[in-house]
Amino acid sequence: MDENAPKGENPEDDAYVIEDTGASVEDIEHEMELAAQEAASAGGGEEDAPATAAGNTALHEEVRKLNDRYLRTLADFENFRKRSEREKADFYRYAAAGILKDILPVFD
């Protein structure tokens, strides 16, 4: 547990909270690919076999967790985008219906 976190709060509660920096999904994916390539190229040192096997297992587990977190964040973003588009379409539909209701008595 993080000793800087306020008491009673779990720092992992905000694991899927992202800030809107205005970057597109493609930009974010590109940045993540570059970071993964840098991490892969930085881990090429000489180590003994048992430590390497244990390190690889831990590394694979962390990669799996980060990939899962990335996919969940991406899915959350896509759901938000679709929900926003749906709400926008509903707003226009109901706004147009209100205007037509107001104009209808004039045409009668």
Side-chain angles (χ1 to χ4, degrees):
M1 187 124 168
D2 186 10
E3 55 195 42
N4 295 331
K7 291 183 180 178
E9 289 187 22
N10 185 354
E12 293 183 15
D13 286 346
D14 294 333
Y16 296 113
V17 175
I18 59 173
E19 293 182 20
D20 183 11
T21 61
S24 69
V25 173
E26 291 81 16
D27 293 340
I28 295 170
E29 288 176 341
H30 181 69
E31 288 176 15
M32 292 183 77
E33 287 176 15
L34 290 176
Q37 289 174 356
E38 288 177 13
S41 65
E46 295 285 326
E47 300 172 353
D48 43 27
T52 303
N56 283 341
T57 303
L59 184 61
H60 285 295
E61 181 64 22
E62 182 161 353
V63 167
R64 187 193 63 76
K65 286 180 182 178
L66 290 174
N67 189 38
D68 181 57
R69 184 173 164 186
Y70 164 72
L71 291 175
R72 288 178 184 270
T73 302
L74 190 61
D76 286 343
F77 177 74
E78 285 297 315
N79 290 337
F80 170 76
R81 186 184 57 78
K82 289 176 184 177
R83 184 175 58 246
S84 295
E85 289 176 4
R86 188 173 46 247
E87 288 174 354
K88 184 177 168 182
D90 288 346
F91 172 76
Y92 287 128
R93 185 179 323 127
Y94 290 120
I99 292 171
L100 291 175
K101 265 186 185 177
D102 293 342
I103 295 175
L104 187 61
V106 174
F107 287 125
D108 276 344

